[in-house]
mmCIF file with all atom_site columns, all heavy atoms in Angstrom:
data_model
loop_
_atom_site.group_PDB
_atom_site.id
_atom_site.type_symbol
_atom_site.label_atom_id
_atom_site.label_alt_id
_atom_site.label_comp_id
_atom_site.label_asym_id
_atom_site.label_entity_id
_atom_site.label_seq_id
_atom_site.pdbx_PDB_ins_code
_atom_site.Cartn_x
_atom_site.Cartn_y
_atom_site.Cartn_z
_atom_site.occupancy
_atom_site.B_iso_or_equiv
_atom_site.pdbx_formal_charge
_atom_site.auth_seq_id
_atom_site.auth_comp_id
_atom_site.auth_asym_id
_atom_site.auth_atom_id
_atom_site.pdbx_PDB_model_num
ATOM 1   N N   . ALA A 1 99  ? 48.364 -45.913 18.193 1.00 0.00 ? 114 ALA A N   1
ATOM 2   C CA  . ALA A 1 99  ? 48.998 -45.880 19.414 1.00 0.00 ? 114 ALA A CA  1
ATOM 3   C C   . ALA A 1 99  ? 50.105 -46.787 19.657 1.00 0.00 ? 114 ALA A C   1
ATOM 4   O O   . ALA A 1 99  ? 51.097 -46.496 20.491 1.00 0.00 ? 114 ALA A O   1
ATOM 5   C CB  . ALA A 1 99  ? 47.971 -46.039 20.549 1.00 0.00 ? 114 ALA A CB  1
ATOM 6   N N   . ALA A 1 100 ? 50.106 -47.862 18.996 1.00 0.00 ? 115 ALA A N   1
ATOM 7   C CA  . ALA A 1 100 ? 51.123 -48.878 19.021 1.00 0.00 ? 115 ALA A CA  1
ATOM 8   C C   . ALA A 1 100 ? 52.364 -48.399 18.136 1.00 0.00 ? 115 ALA A C   1
ATOM 9   O O   . ALA A 1 100 ? 53.402 -49.175 18.175 1.00 0.00 ? 115 ALA A O   1
ATOM 10  C CB  . ALA A 1 100 ? 50.550 -50.223 18.441 1.00 0.00 ? 115 ALA A CB  1
ATOM 11  N N   . GLY A 1 101 ? 52.256 -47.281 17.395 1.00 0.00 ? 116 GLY A N   1
ATOM 12  C CA  . GLY A 1 101 ? 53.394 -46.778 16.822 1.00 0.00 ? 116 GLY A CA  1
ATOM 13  C C   . GLY A 1 101 ? 53.539 -46.923 15.268 1.00 0.00 ? 116 GLY A C   1
ATOM 14  O O   . GLY A 1 101 ? 54.666 -46.772 14.790 1.00 0.00 ? 116 GLY A O   1
ATOM 15  N N   . VAL A 1 102 ? 52.584 -47.355 14.618 1.00 0.00 ? 117 VAL A N   1
ATOM 16  C CA  . VAL A 1 102 ? 52.612 -47.405 13.152 1.00 0.00 ? 117 VAL A CA  1
ATOM 17  C C   . VAL A 1 102 ? 51.777 -46.361 12.401 1.00 0.00 ? 117 VAL A C   1
ATOM 18  O O   . VAL A 1 102 ? 50.815 -45.958 12.992 1.00 0.00 ? 117 VAL A O   1
ATOM 19  C CB  . VAL A 1 102 ? 52.169 -48.803 12.607 1.00 0.00 ? 117 VAL A CB  1
ATOM 20  C CG1 . VAL A 1 102 ? 53.234 -49.802 13.087 1.00 0.00 ? 117 VAL A CG1 1
ATOM 21  C CG2 . VAL A 1 102 ? 50.818 -49.071 12.980 1.00 0.00 ? 117 VAL A CG2 1
ATOM 22  N N   . LYS A 1 103 ? 52.213 -46.023 11.261 1.00 0.00 ? 118 LYS A N   1
ATOM 23  C CA  . LYS A 1 103 ? 51.415 -45.204 10.313 1.00 0.00 ? 118 LYS A CA  1
ATOM 24  C C   . LYS A 1 103 ? 50.625 -46.125 9.449  1.00 0.00 ? 118 LYS A C   1
ATOM 25  O O   . LYS A 1 103 ? 51.146 -46.896 8.740  1.00 0.00 ? 118 LYS A O   1
ATOM 26  C CB  . LYS A 1 103 ? 52.232 -44.256 9.581  1.00 0.00 ? 118 LYS A CB  1
ATOM 27  C CG  . LYS A 1 103 ? 51.524 -43.325 8.783  1.00 0.00 ? 118 LYS A CG  1
ATOM 28  C CD  . LYS A 1 103 ? 52.366 -42.415 7.996  1.00 0.00 ? 118 LYS A CD  1
ATOM 29  C CE  . LYS A 1 103 ? 51.541 -41.496 7.153  1.00 0.00 ? 118 LYS A CE  1
ATOM 30  N NZ  . LYS A 1 103 ? 52.063 -41.025 5.908  1.00 0.00 ? 118 LYS A NZ  1
ATOM 31  N N   . LEU A 1 104 ? 49.341 -46.043 9.579  1.00 0.00 ? 119 LEU A N   1
ATOM 32  C CA  . LEU A 1 104 ? 48.476 -46.875 8.732  1.00 0.00 ? 119 LEU A CA  1
ATOM 33  C C   . LEU A 1 104 ? 48.425 -46.310 7.356  1.00 0.00 ? 119 LEU A C   1
ATOM 34  O O   . LEU A 1 104 ? 48.268 -45.156 7.215  1.00 0.00 ? 119 LEU A O   1
ATOM 35  C CB  . LEU A 1 104 ? 47.080 -47.042 9.343  1.00 0.00 ? 119 LEU A CB  1
ATOM 36  C CG  . LEU A 1 104 ? 47.084 -47.641 10.834 1.00 0.00 ? 119 LEU A CG  1
ATOM 37  C CD1 . LEU A 1 104 ? 45.728 -47.507 11.344 1.00 0.00 ? 119 LEU A CD1 1
ATOM 38  C CD2 . LEU A 1 104 ? 47.531 -49.099 10.688 1.00 0.00 ? 119 LEU A CD2 1
ATOM 39  N N   . GLU A 1 105 ? 48.083 -47.265 6.433  1.00 0.00 ? 120 GLU A N   1
ATOM 40  C CA  . GLU A 1 105 ? 47.811 -46.845 5.002  1.00 0.00 ? 120 GLU A CA  1
ATOM 41  C C   . GLU A 1 105 ? 46.373 -47.368 4.756  1.00 0.00 ? 120 GLU A C   1
ATOM 42  O O   . GLU A 1 105 ? 46.040 -48.590 5.058  1.00 0.00 ? 120 GLU A O   1
ATOM 43  C CB  . GLU A 1 105 ? 48.783 -47.538 4.030  1.00 0.00 ? 120 GLU A CB  1
ATOM 44  C CG  . GLU A 1 105 ? 50.222 -46.936 4.246  1.00 0.00 ? 120 GLU A CG  1
ATOM 45  C CD  . GLU A 1 105 ? 51.088 -47.407 3.145  1.00 0.00 ? 120 GLU A CD  1
ATOM 46  O OE1 . GLU A 1 105 ? 50.781 -47.362 1.971  1.00 0.00 ? 120 GLU A OE1 1
ATOM 47  O OE2 . GLU A 1 105 ? 52.176 -47.905 3.521  1.00 0.00 ? 120 GLU A OE2 1
ATOM 48  N N   . LYS A 1 106 ? 45.691 -46.558 4.030  1.00 0.00 ? 121 LYS A N   1
ATOM 49  C CA  . LYS A 1 106 ? 44.276 -46.840 3.654  1.00 0.00 ? 121 LYS A CA  1
ATOM 50  C C   . LYS A 1 106 ? 44.267 -47.632 2.311  1.00 0.00 ? 121 LYS A C   1
ATOM 51  O O   . LYS A 1 106 ? 44.472 -46.950 1.293  1.00 0.00 ? 121 LYS A O   1
ATOM 52  C CB  . LYS A 1 106 ? 43.313 -45.619 3.613  1.00 0.00 ? 121 LYS A CB  1
ATOM 53  C CG  . LYS A 1 106 ? 41.919 -45.982 3.349  1.00 0.00 ? 121 LYS A CG  1
ATOM 54  C CD  . LYS A 1 106 ? 41.073 -44.674 3.317  1.00 0.00 ? 121 LYS A CD  1
ATOM 55  C CE  . LYS A 1 106 ? 39.696 -44.800 3.022  1.00 0.00 ? 121 LYS A CE  1
ATOM 56  N NZ  . LYS A 1 106 ? 38.992 -45.842 2.564  1.00 0.00 ? 121 LYS A NZ  1
ATOM 57  N N   . LEU A 1 107 ? 44.378 -48.925 2.288  1.00 0.00 ? 122 LEU A N   1
ATOM 58  C CA  . LEU A 1 107 ? 44.487 -49.672 1.100  1.00 0.00 ? 122 LEU A CA  1
ATOM 59  C C   . LEU A 1 107 ? 43.253 -50.588 0.828  1.00 0.00 ? 122 LEU A C   1
ATOM 60  O O   . LEU A 1 107 ? 43.311 -51.283 -0.192 1.00 0.00 ? 122 LEU A O   1
ATOM 61  C CB  . LEU A 1 107 ? 45.749 -50.524 1.202  1.00 0.00 ? 122 LEU A CB  1
ATOM 62  C CG  . LEU A 1 107 ? 47.058 -49.737 1.259  1.00 0.00 ? 122 LEU A CG  1
ATOM 63  C CD1 . LEU A 1 107 ? 48.288 -50.649 1.360  1.00 0.00 ? 122 LEU A CD1 1
ATOM 64  C CD2 . LEU A 1 107 ? 47.306 -48.703 0.111  1.00 0.00 ? 122 LEU A CD2 1
ATOM 65  N N   . LEU A 1 108 ? 42.315 -50.491 1.755  1.00 0.00 ? 123 LEU A N   1
ATOM 66  C CA  . LEU A 1 108 ? 41.071 -51.256 1.547  1.00 0.00 ? 123 LEU A CA  1
ATOM 67  C C   . LEU A 1 108 ? 39.945 -50.279 1.696  1.00 0.00 ? 123 LEU A C   1
ATOM 68  O O   . LEU A 1 108 ? 39.926 -49.398 2.375  1.00 0.00 ? 123 LEU A O   1
ATOM 69  C CB  . LEU A 1 108 ? 40.909 -52.374 2.715  1.00 0.00 ? 123 LEU A CB  1
ATOM 70  C CG  . LEU A 1 108 ? 41.745 -53.566 2.695  1.00 0.00 ? 123 LEU A CG  1
ATOM 71  C CD1 . LEU A 1 108 ? 41.612 -54.291 3.973  1.00 0.00 ? 123 LEU A CD1 1
ATOM 72  C CD2 . LEU A 1 108 ? 41.390 -54.435 1.474  1.00 0.00 ? 123 LEU A CD2 1
ATOM 73  N N   . SER A 1 109 ? 38.857 -50.719 1.026  1.00 0.00 ? 124 SER A N   1
ATOM 74  C CA  . SER A 1 109 ? 37.585 -49.917 1.156  1.00 0.00 ? 124 SER A CA  1
ATOM 75  C C   . SER A 1 109 ? 36.500 -51.075 1.283  1.00 0.00 ? 124 SER A C   1
ATOM 76  O O   . SER A 1 109 ? 36.701 -52.160 1.001  1.00 0.00 ? 124 SER A O   1
ATOM 77  C CB  . SER A 1 109 ? 37.229 -49.050 0.009  1.00 0.00 ? 124 SER A CB  1
ATOM 78  O OG  . SER A 1 109 ? 37.028 -49.789 -1.242 1.00 0.00 ? 124 SER A OG  1
ATOM 79  N N   . ILE A 1 110 ? 35.362 -50.564 1.835  1.00 0.00 ? 125 ILE A N   1
ATOM 80  C CA  . ILE A 1 110 ? 34.284 -51.446 2.007  1.00 0.00 ? 125 ILE A CA  1
ATOM 81  C C   . ILE A 1 110 ? 33.493 -51.635 0.725  1.00 0.00 ? 125 ILE A C   1
ATOM 82  O O   . ILE A 1 110 ? 33.112 -50.550 0.118  1.00 0.00 ? 125 ILE A O   1
ATOM 83  C CB  . ILE A 1 110 ? 33.348 -50.957 3.151  1.00 0.00 ? 125 ILE A CB  1
ATOM 84  C CG1 . ILE A 1 110 ? 34.121 -50.970 4.431  1.00 0.00 ? 125 ILE A CG1 1
ATOM 85  C CG2 . ILE A 1 110 ? 32.138 -51.785 3.192  1.00 0.00 ? 125 ILE A CG2 1
ATOM 86  C CD1 . ILE A 1 110 ? 33.386 -50.500 5.707  1.00 0.00 ? 125 ILE A CD1 1
ATOM 87  N N   . ASN A 1 111 ? 33.232 -52.788 0.313  1.00 0.00 ? 126 ASN A N   1
ATOM 88  C CA  . ASN A 1 111 ? 32.672 -53.095 -0.988 1.00 0.00 ? 126 ASN A CA  1
ATOM 89  C C   . ASN A 1 111 ? 31.122 -53.216 -0.836 1.00 0.00 ? 126 ASN A C   1
ATOM 90  O O   . ASN A 1 111 ? 30.352 -52.949 -1.677 1.00 0.00 ? 126 ASN A O   1
ATOM 91  C CB  . ASN A 1 111 ? 33.227 -54.377 -1.669 1.00 0.00 ? 126 ASN A CB  1
ATOM 92  C CG  . ASN A 1 111 ? 32.970 -54.607 -2.989 1.00 0.00 ? 126 ASN A CG  1
ATOM 93  O OD1 . ASN A 1 111 ? 32.978 -53.667 -3.760 1.00 0.00 ? 126 ASN A OD1 1
ATOM 94  N ND2 . ASN A 1 111 ? 32.804 -55.790 -3.343 1.00 0.00 ? 126 ASN A ND2 1
ATOM 95  N N   . ARG A 1 112 ? 30.641 -53.834 0.322  1.00 0.00 ? 127 ARG A N   1
ATOM 96  C CA  . ARG A 1 112 ? 29.163 -53.961 0.563  1.00 0.00 ? 127 ARG A CA  1
ATOM 97  C C   . ARG A 1 112 ? 29.025 -54.088 2.084  1.00 0.00 ? 127 ARG A C   1
ATOM 98  O O   . ARG A 1 112 ? 29.981 -54.334 2.860  1.00 0.00 ? 127 ARG A O   1
ATOM 99  C CB  . ARG A 1 112 ? 28.729 -55.268 -0.110 1.00 0.00 ? 127 ARG A CB  1
ATOM 100 C CG  . ARG A 1 112 ? 29.337 -56.548 0.506  1.00 0.00 ? 127 ARG A CG  1
ATOM 101 C CD  . ARG A 1 112 ? 28.570 -57.811 0.039  1.00 0.00 ? 127 ARG A CD  1
ATOM 102 N NE  . ARG A 1 112 ? 29.196 -59.045 0.654  1.00 0.00 ? 127 ARG A NE  1
ATOM 103 C CZ  . ARG A 1 112 ? 28.875 -59.394 1.827  1.00 0.00 ? 127 ARG A CZ  1
ATOM 104 N NH1 . ARG A 1 112 ? 28.031 -58.767 2.643  1.00 0.00 ? 127 ARG A NH1 1
ATOM 105 N NH2 . ARG A 1 112 ? 29.374 -60.520 2.394  1.00 0.00 ? 127 ARG A NH2 1
ATOM 106 N N   . THR A 1 113 ? 27.780 -53.892 2.489  1.00 0.00 ? 128 THR A N   1
ATOM 107 C CA  . THR A 1 113 ? 27.554 -54.010 3.883  1.00 0.00 ? 128 THR A CA  1
ATOM 108 C C   . THR A 1 113 ? 27.413 -55.442 4.420  1.00 0.00 ? 128 THR A C   1
ATOM 109 O O   . THR A 1 113 ? 27.253 -56.360 3.583  1.00 0.00 ? 128 THR A O   1
ATOM 110 C CB  . THR A 1 113 ? 26.132 -53.305 4.153  1.00 0.00 ? 128 THR A CB  1
ATOM 111 O OG1 . THR A 1 113 ? 25.114 -53.950 3.469  1.00 0.00 ? 128 THR A OG1 1
ATOM 112 C CG2 . THR A 1 113 ? 26.238 -51.863 4.104  1.00 0.00 ? 128 THR A CG2 1
ATOM 113 N N   . ARG A 1 114 ? 27.572 -55.651 5.569  1.00 0.00 ? 129 ARG A N   1
ATOM 114 C CA  . ARG A 1 114 ? 27.520 -57.186 6.184  1.00 0.00 ? 129 ARG A CA  1
ATOM 115 C C   . ARG A 1 114 ? 26.735 -56.955 7.453  1.00 0.00 ? 129 ARG A C   1
ATOM 116 O O   . ARG A 1 114 ? 26.539 -55.927 8.068  1.00 0.00 ? 129 ARG A O   1
ATOM 117 C CB  . ARG A 1 114 ? 28.964 -57.564 6.454  1.00 0.00 ? 129 ARG A CB  1
ATOM 118 C CG  . ARG A 1 114 ? 29.667 -56.695 7.500  1.00 0.00 ? 129 ARG A CG  1
ATOM 119 C CD  . ARG A 1 114 ? 31.109 -57.349 7.884  1.00 0.00 ? 129 ARG A CD  1
ATOM 120 N NE  . ARG A 1 114 ? 31.858 -56.554 8.713  1.00 0.00 ? 129 ARG A NE  1
ATOM 121 C CZ  . ARG A 1 114 ? 31.701 -56.433 10.093 1.00 0.00 ? 129 ARG A CZ  1
ATOM 122 N NH1 . ARG A 1 114 ? 30.694 -57.032 10.649 1.00 0.00 ? 129 ARG A NH1 1
ATOM 123 N NH2 . ARG A 1 114 ? 32.355 -55.639 10.724 1.00 0.00 ? 129 ARG A NH2 1
ATOM 124 N N   . ALA A 1 115 ? 26.284 -58.111 7.923  1.00 0.00 ? 130 ALA A N   1
ATOM 125 C CA  . ALA A 1 115 ? 25.569 -58.252 9.082  1.00 0.00 ? 130 ALA A CA  1
ATOM 126 C C   . ALA A 1 115 ? 26.656 -58.236 10.356 1.00 0.00 ? 130 ALA A C   1
ATOM 127 O O   . ALA A 1 115 ? 27.891 -58.391 10.164 1.00 0.00 ? 130 ALA A O   1
ATOM 128 C CB  . ALA A 1 115 ? 24.881 -59.635 9.259  1.00 0.00 ? 130 ALA A CB  1
ATOM 129 N N   . ASP A 1 116 ? 26.043 -57.798 11.570 1.00 0.00 ? 131 ASP A N   1
ATOM 130 C CA  . ASP A 1 116 ? 26.882 -57.842 12.710 1.00 0.00 ? 131 ASP A CA  1
ATOM 131 C C   . ASP A 1 116 ? 27.371 -59.219 12.998 1.00 0.00 ? 131 ASP A C   1
ATOM 132 O O   . ASP A 1 116 ? 26.571 -60.249 13.063 1.00 0.00 ? 131 ASP A O   1
ATOM 133 C CB  . ASP A 1 116 ? 26.083 -57.399 13.785 1.00 0.00 ? 131 ASP A CB  1
ATOM 134 C CG  . ASP A 1 116 ? 26.820 -57.292 15.169 1.00 0.00 ? 131 ASP A CG  1
ATOM 135 O OD1 . ASP A 1 116 ? 28.169 -57.389 15.108 1.00 0.00 ? 131 ASP A OD1 1
ATOM 136 O OD2 . ASP A 1 116 ? 26.276 -57.221 16.209 1.00 0.00 ? 131 ASP A OD2 1
ATOM 137 N N   . GLN A 1 117 ? 28.807 -59.387 13.139 1.00 0.00 ? 132 GLN A N   1
ATOM 138 C CA  . GLN A 1 117 ? 29.348 -60.701 13.229 1.00 0.00 ? 132 GLN A CA  1
ATOM 139 C C   . GLN A 1 117 ? 29.082 -61.257 14.656 1.00 0.00 ? 132 GLN A C   1
ATOM 140 O O   . GLN A 1 117 ? 29.252 -62.536 14.883 1.00 0.00 ? 132 GLN A O   1
ATOM 141 C CB  . GLN A 1 117 ? 30.879 -60.699 13.040 1.00 0.00 ? 132 GLN A CB  1
ATOM 142 C CG  . GLN A 1 117 ? 31.239 -60.148 11.665 1.00 0.00 ? 132 GLN A CG  1
ATOM 143 C CD  . GLN A 1 117 ? 31.410 -61.369 10.776 1.00 0.00 ? 132 GLN A CD  1
ATOM 144 O OE1 . GLN A 1 117 ? 30.486 -61.736 10.022 1.00 0.00 ? 132 GLN A OE1 1
ATOM 145 N NE2 . GLN A 1 117 ? 32.580 -61.918 10.692 1.00 0.00 ? 132 GLN A NE2 1
ATOM 146 N N   . SER A 1 118 ? 28.834 -60.598 15.669 1.00 0.00 ? 133 SER A N   1
ATOM 147 C CA  . SER A 1 118 ? 28.753 -60.927 17.000 1.00 0.00 ? 133 SER A CA  1
ATOM 148 C C   . SER A 1 118 ? 27.849 -62.124 17.319 1.00 0.00 ? 133 SER A C   1
ATOM 149 O O   . SER A 1 118 ? 28.092 -62.872 18.256 1.00 0.00 ? 133 SER A O   1
ATOM 150 C CB  . SER A 1 118 ? 28.648 -59.853 17.980 1.00 0.00 ? 133 SER A CB  1
ATOM 151 O OG  . SER A 1 118 ? 27.302 -59.292 17.825 1.00 0.00 ? 133 SER A OG  1
ATOM 152 N N   . GLN A 1 119 ? 26.737 -62.259 16.540 1.00 0.00 ? 134 GLN A N   1
ATOM 153 C CA  . GLN A 1 119 ? 25.768 -63.256 16.879 1.00 0.00 ? 134 GLN A CA  1
ATOM 154 C C   . GLN A 1 119 ? 25.873 -64.458 15.920 1.00 0.00 ? 134 GLN A C   1
ATOM 155 O O   . GLN A 1 119 ? 24.973 -65.309 15.871 1.00 0.00 ? 134 GLN A O   1
ATOM 156 C CB  . GLN A 1 119 ? 24.337 -62.639 16.841 1.00 0.00 ? 134 GLN A CB  1
ATOM 157 C CG  . GLN A 1 119 ? 24.244 -61.536 17.819 1.00 0.00 ? 134 GLN A CG  1
ATOM 158 C CD  . GLN A 1 119 ? 24.445 -62.045 19.264 1.00 0.00 ? 134 GLN A CD  1
ATOM 159 O OE1 . GLN A 1 119 ? 23.945 -63.050 19.748 1.00 0.00 ? 134 GLN A OE1 1
ATOM 160 N NE2 . GLN A 1 119 ? 25.247 -61.231 20.088 1.00 0.00 ? 134 GLN A NE2 1
ATOM 161 N N   . LEU A 1 120 ? 26.904 -64.341 15.011 1.00 0.00 ? 135 LEU A N   1
ATOM 162 C CA  . LEU A 1 120 ? 26.995 -65.515 14.003 1.00 0.00 ? 135 LEU A CA  1
ATOM 163 C C   . LEU A 1 120 ? 27.890 -66.548 14.398 1.00 0.00 ? 135 LEU A C   1
ATOM 164 O O   . LEU A 1 120 ? 28.953 -66.438 15.176 1.00 0.00 ? 135 LEU A O   1
ATOM 165 C CB  . LEU A 1 120 ? 27.481 -64.812 12.679 1.00 0.00 ? 135 LEU A CB  1
ATOM 166 C CG  . LEU A 1 120 ? 26.540 -63.769 12.117 1.00 0.00 ? 135 LEU A CG  1
ATOM 167 C CD1 . LEU A 1 120 ? 27.275 -63.205 10.789 1.00 0.00 ? 135 LEU A CD1 1
ATOM 168 C CD2 . LEU A 1 120 ? 25.135 -64.290 11.762 1.00 0.00 ? 135 LEU A CD2 1
#
Side-chain angles (χ1 to χ4, degrees):
V117 295
K118 182 178 181 213
L119 297 173
E120 291 186 53
K121 185 177 178 356
L122 299 176
L123 283 171
S124 66
I125 296 176
N126 197 37
R127 67 166 183 82
T128 57
R129 63 174 172 82
D131 179 15
Q132 296 273 89
S133 64
Q134 301 302 313
L135 300 178

